[in-house]
């Protein structure tokens, strides 16, 4: 890119080399959410549930987002809008207070579902690429927009343990890959105590469609970093140290605090 033209909007016509047609994804609509997810049940592993049933209390230590399931479907009577159904799967790590001095670790799964409605525009075209080598009859998914979700690991706000009377199992469908990530069976029923957690989560949801657009070409982008076959060359200590600004403030003497007037008046010479 030209040194005198950093943004295409302020470029002179002479700086433009040509126009280039590219294929990309156009963002048709987007939104952001700040969810406070209260009293989310944690489905503990078999070993963790046995510990919790005999413990006095428990406190959640951390929450990790394992996976987000996304489903897009058209909104009835509005061909330009789509429902995005999201299911978030979290790994919850907690500490249970038992009779021993050290807390016992607990591990379990928490699930949160939500829905967003966004404008995805309408398209009658069907898109096929060389990456799609399978054929699915009677499928309309090739005309749907693509949903993209960006999510941070949630913040743990609070947690509690509740004694339960019902021994019925929860009719919950857990994907096999999520179940396998815990290494043992998750308890869905027959528990005496249950762990609940309140999470805070930030997310950005958007719908995208394939589009062909024309963009101005200034210059082709050339990398400025040189290739290196030495694993340690990118972290040369002297090179890193040379980029650290000199700590001038730490070498500058600080002034003395002013003496209070009362002290000056009470001072006497002999």
């Amino acid at each position: 890119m030209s040194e005198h033209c950093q943004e295409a909007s302020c470029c002179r016509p002479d700086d433009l080399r040509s126009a280039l047609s590219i294929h990309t994804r156009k963002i048709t609509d987007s939104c952001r959410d700040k969810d406070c997810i209260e009293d989310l049940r944690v489905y503990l592993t078999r070993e963790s549930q046995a510990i919790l049933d005999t413990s006095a209390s428990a406190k959640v230590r951390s929450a990790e987002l394992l996976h987000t399931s996304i489903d897009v479907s058209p909104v009835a009577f509005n061909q330009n809008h789509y429902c995005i159904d999201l299911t978030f799967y979290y790994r919850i790590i907690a500490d249970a207070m038992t009779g021993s001095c050290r807390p016992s670790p607990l591990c379990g799964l928490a699930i949160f579902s939500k829905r967003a409605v966004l404008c995805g525009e309408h398209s009658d075209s069907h898109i096929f690429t060389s990456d799609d080598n399978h054929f699915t009859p009677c499928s309309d998914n090739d005309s749907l927009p693509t949903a993209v979700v960006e999510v941070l690991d949630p913040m743990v706000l609070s947690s509690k343990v509740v004694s339960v009377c019902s021994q019925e199992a929860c009719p919950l469908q857990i994907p096999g890959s999520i179940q396998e990530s815990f290494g043992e069976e998750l308890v869905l029923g027959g528990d005496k105590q249950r762990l609940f957690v309140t999470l805070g989560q930030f997310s950005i949801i958007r719908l995208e469609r394939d589009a062909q657009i024309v963009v101005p070409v200034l210059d082709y982008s050339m990398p400025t970093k040189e290739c290196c076959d030495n694993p340690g060359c990118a972290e040369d200590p002297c090179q890193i140290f040379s980029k650290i600004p000199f700590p001038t403030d730490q070498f500058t003497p600080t002034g003395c605090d002013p003496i209070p007037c009362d002290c000056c008046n009470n001072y006497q010479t002999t």
Side-chain angles (χ1 to χ4, degrees):
M1 182 177 290
S2 173
E3 296 180 357
H4 303 289
C5 183
Q6 301 297 328
E7 297 183 4
S9 59
C10 64
C11 290
R12 299 174 302 174
D14 296 340
D15 292 322
L16 301 179
R17 301 289 184 265
S18 62
L20 182 67
S21 177
I22 66 170
H23 174 255
T24 185
R25 283 183 175 178
K26 170 189 174 182
I27 299 177
T28 60
D29 199 3
S30 62
C31 65
R32 65 180 185 183
D33 259 340
K34 182 181 178 182
D35 294 304
C36 182
I37 312 166
E38 295 185 276
D39 297 336
L40 198 61
R41 180 181 171 182
V42 181
Y43 300 93
L44 297 173
T45 61
R46 182 68 64 184
E47 180 181 354
S48 297
Q49 185 62 57
I51 296 175
L52 181 66
D53 286 341
T54 59
S55 64
S57 62
K59 182 178 181 181
V60 173
R61 188 196 318 164
S62 64
E64 174 192 3
L65 180 63
L66 293 177
H67 179 67
T68 302
S69 175
I70 308 173
D71 183 58
V72 180
S73 59
V75 176
F77 310 111
N78 194 336
Q79 62 180 3
N80 292 327
H81 288 75
Y82 296 83
C83 289
I84 304 119
D85 292 301
L86 308 169
T87 303
F88 302 94
Y89 299 91
Y90 310 100
R91 185 198 306 274
I92 306 297
I93 304 298
D95 292 320
M97 305 304 171
T98 58
S100 60
C101 297
R102 299 182 59 183
S104 301
L106 304 177
C107 181
L109 171 69
I111 303 175
F112 170 60
S113 297
K114 64 176 294 182
R115 169 176 287 187
V117 178
L118 293 175
C119 177
E121 299 184 350
H122 177 68
S123 175
D124 292 322
S125 65
H126 301 275
I127 301 174
F128 301 92
T129 68
S130 58
D131 295 332
D132 301 327
N133 294 321
H134 60 279
F135 173 69
T136 305
C138 301
S139 174
D140 295 330
N141 291 335
D142 52 2
S143 63
L144 294 176
T146 301
V148 179
V149 182
E150 298 182 43
V151 191
L152 300 179
D153 278 336
M155 301 170 56
V156 177
L157 303 179
S158 67
S159 60
K160 64 181 180 181
V161 176
V162 177
S163 298
V164 294
C165 299
S166 175
Q167 301 298 318
E168 297 181 0
C170 176
L172 184 65
Q173 298 293 330
I174 302 176
S177 58
I178 299 296
Q179 175 77 56
E180 294 172 0
S181 66
F182 288 88
E184 59 177 306
E185 180 186 3
L186 295 172
V187 177
L188 304 182
D191 45 353
K192 297 179 181 179
Q193 295 195 112
R194 291 178 182 175
L195 178 63
F196 292 85
V197 62
T198 297
L199 303 177
Q201 177 177 268
F202 296 93
S203 62
I204 296 177
I205 307 169
R206 64 178 182 265
L207 285 180
E208 299 177 349
R209 277 197 182 274
D210 287 352
Q212 292 181 344
I213 61 176
V214 177
V215 296
V217 178
L218 304 176
D219 264 329
Y220 283 100
S221 176
M222 295 295 295
T224 57
K225 179 181 177 181
E226 296 183 358
C227 298
C228 178
D229 57 0
N230 183 1
C233 68
E235 298 182 357
D236 180 69
C238 291
Q239 184 179 5
I240 295 176
F241 182 73
S242 65
K243 297 179 180 180
I244 300 176
F246 194 87
T248 306
D249 294 340
Q250 298 184 28
F251 284 90
T252 303
T254 57
C256 299
D257 294 333
I259 301 176
C261 294
D262 292 342
C263 296
C264 298
N265 295 335
N266 294 335
Y267 178 74
Q268 297 179 356
T269 58
T270 56

